[in-house]
Amino acid sequence: MKSYLAAAIQMTSVPDLQKNLTQAEELIDLAVRQGAELVGLPENFSFMGEEKDKLAQADAIAQETETFLEKMAQRFQVTILGGGFPVPVDSIGKVYNTALLIAPNAQELARYHKAHLFDVNVPDGNTYQESSTVMAGKELPPVHFSEQLGNIGLSICYDVRFPELYRHLADKGADVVFVPAAFTAFTGKDHWQVLLQARAIENTYYVIAPAQTGTNYARRQTHGHAMIIDPWGTILADVGDKPGVAIAEIKPTRLEQVRRQMPSLQHRVF
């Protein structure tokens, strides 16, 4: 594993596939021009709208999104995570919320179907029922082993509240873990940063958290603050509340230092 720059992209995605892909391409280009070799896009980056509209367009969204990710990875010669988009499940009228990691040669490296679905009555008056249209993934997320970039683990948004998933990734040897999200503005202001820092600290790995921000559609507002956090819990980059890119260096020497100074994973009893 070498030292390299990673990017967490922040978007305001809307119910318009082409508009979102154009925005994503511009931000990928911005990240690459700053030297990023590993780039993460947020959950719902290619489409963020009403559930019925997502289902109606799911085939087109899935096909065009995968093609887009392959083209971007190849054009810019970077490894790209598409942090969450709908992929239809055969014959049941639902989709998987899917994260996809693509190599610079356009080959698929890892795929993960979001396991924890956001069925929550948020105190701001909004109700979310992700399971009404999304099928929960039934497998723990994978870790992709890369000699150059380190071992990369996947997760999506609401997963961040379930530490056992992140301990699984640590057990599998993860050095860097993605948490692409579309966190609600209401919950994000209190929980987003502290949950990300907790996952990084307790597992001593880097966390890269691409995010949605602003008003995406109707009453749906997202928190923003895409960030990159080191294994000590230090915030290396934070985009704030506007679309943009968080860039930070991923250092194997920092991983080794923190794991040597705080070898908590070696002290586990249970």
Side-chain angles (χ1 to χ4, degrees):
M1 179 183 176
K2 64 176 185 179
S3 290
Y4 64 93
L5 294 179
I9 286 177
Q10 183 155 292
M11 300 176 61
T12 302
S13 297
V14 295
D16 185 323
L17 175 62
Q18 296 307 322
K19 188 174 182 179
N20 294 330
L21 294 182
T22 297
Q23 181 188 176
E25 183 173 353
E26 291 171 352
L27 290 166
I28 293 167
D29 180 58
L30 177 61
V32 172
R33 282 191 279 115
Q34 294 180 62
E37 296 182 52
L38 178 64
V39 178
L41 292 159
E43 183 183 30
N44 301 329
F45 72 95
S46 58
F47 185 90
M48 192 158 177
E50 300 289 352
E51 295 298 297
K52 59 180 173 53
D53 298 329
K54 179 181 73 178
L55 279 186
Q57 301 175 50
D59 282 313
I61 295 169
Q63 292 172 17
E64 292 195 41
T65 300
E66 289 201 31
T67 299
F68 170 82
L69 291 169
E70 292 165 1
K71 286 182 177 178
M72 292 299 101
Q74 200 161 31
R75 178 185 303 170
F76 292 109
Q77 285 298 291
V78 292
T79 301
I80 293 181
L81 177 88
F85 61 97
V87 174
V89 183
D90 292 341
S91 75
I92 67 166
K94 289 189 176 184
V95 298
Y96 284 122
N97 187 342
T98 304
L100 192 58
L101 189 67
I102 301 291
N105 65 358
Q107 295 301 301
E108 179 178 321
L109 298 175
R111 180 181 294 249
Y112 167 61
H113 297 142
K114 185 179 183 182
H116 299 100
L117 303 184
F118 192 58
D119 292 353
V120 177
N121 297 318
V122 179
D124 65 358
N126 286 314
T127 296
Y128 300 91
Q129 195 73 24
E130 188 174 17
S131 66
S132 66
T133 59
V134 177
M135 172 73 71
K138 295 179 172 60
E139 296 183 5
L140 286 162
V143 173
H144 168 68
F145 297 92
S146 167
E147 289 186 9
Q148 295 295 309
L149 304 179
N151 303 329
I152 302 169
L154 306 187
S155 67
I156 301 175
C157 198
Y158 190 48
D159 284 334
V160 77
R161 295 182 182 272
F162 300 87
E164 60 274 17
L165 183 146
Y166 295 88
R167 182 50 52 88
H168 157 77
L169 293 172
D171 287 344
K172 291 293 184 181
D175 301 311
V176 177
V177 169
F178 276 108
V179 189
F183 237 68
T184 70
F186 187 90
T187 58
K189 64 183 172 57
D190 296 324
H191 296 164
W192 171 245
Q193 179 179 314
V194 70
L195 284 168
L196 293 173
Q197 287 179 295
R199 300 296 85 87
I201 292 166
E202 68 199 6
N203 295 298
T204 57
Y205 48 47
Y206 283 92
V207 167
I208 302 174
Q212 293 284 348
T213 192
T215 300
N216 304 95
Y217 64 92
R219 294 176 60 199
R220 183 67 193 269
Q221 294 194 346
T222 42
H223 174 64
H225 293 277
M227 59 181 66
I228 299 177
I229 300 171
D230 86 352
W232 190 254
T234 302
I235 297 171
L236 303 179
D238 180 344
V239 178
D241 61 3
K242 305 294 183 188
V245 181
I247 299 273
E249 188 173 7
I250 307 299
K251 299 179 181 179
T253 53
R254 180 61 171 159
L255 278 167
E256 293 162 9
Q257 177 190 34
V258 171
R259 290 170 176 177
R260 183 175 64 252
Q261 292 174 340
M262 185 57 68
S264 55
L265 291 180
Q266 298 176 31
H267 299 156
R268 291 171 61 195
V269 176
F270 302 106

